Amino acid sequence: MNTVRLAFLLAFLSFQVMPPSSSMPGAGVLAPCPDSPNCVSSEAVREAQRVPTVSFSDSPTAALARAKAALLAEPRSTVTSDSGGHLRGQCRSLVFRFVDDVDIVVDAAAGVFRFRSASRVGRSDLGVNRKRVARIAARLRQASP
């Protein structure tokens, strides 16, 4: 019985290591949210999953630096990729160490930050991803020149 539990635990933890390939489109493109409520995005089709963009007026390079600082201000967060105005990061929950994937796109053409934050596992996140994006957006507005 212990072998079965260990195998289950290892299988569960393997989902925590790499983001699903569906959440990793090309730079500047946000993956669509799945039907589960544990994802929010500036580009979500469903209103319940949509979060607003945040405008910026500084240079794309300065805006990207502000976005990185805003993301890293989140507890237990890391930046995993920084490419072409697209930040990818991870945030881990305190107790169970669940991983949420966070994307921030600096859309220079539109002059806005676009967001996506999604849990890798489960169905409900109790609003954690929406609250995270709201905190990041507030930091970006406060630091705006």
Side-chain angles (χ1 to χ4, degrees), residues 3-94:
T3 305
V4 172
R5 287 183 184 165
L6 179 61
F8 177 76
L9 178 63
L10 290 174
F12 175 76
L13 291 175
S14 70
F15 288 109
Q16 302 296 310
V17 177
M18 287 296 296
S21 59
S22 64
S23 71
M24 298 180 6
V29 178
L30 295 174
C33 281
D35 288 336
S36 59
N38 60 4
C39 176
V40 296
S41 173
S42 300
E43 300 173 358
V45 174
R46 294 175 50 204
E47 183 64 34
Q49 293 178 313
R50 195 168 307 130
V51 292
T53 60
V54 173
S55 60
F56 66 87
S57 59
D58 45 347
S59 73
T61 303
L64 184 63
R66 289 193 301 117
K68 186 182 272 189
L71 174 59
L72 291 175
E74 285 295 303
R76 298 168 304 283
S77 66
T78 58
V79 172
T80 58
S81 173
D82 177 353
S83 172
H86 188 154
L87 287 177
R88 286 197 175 110
Q90 296 177 352
C91 296
R92 289 191 178 269
S93 65
L94 179 62

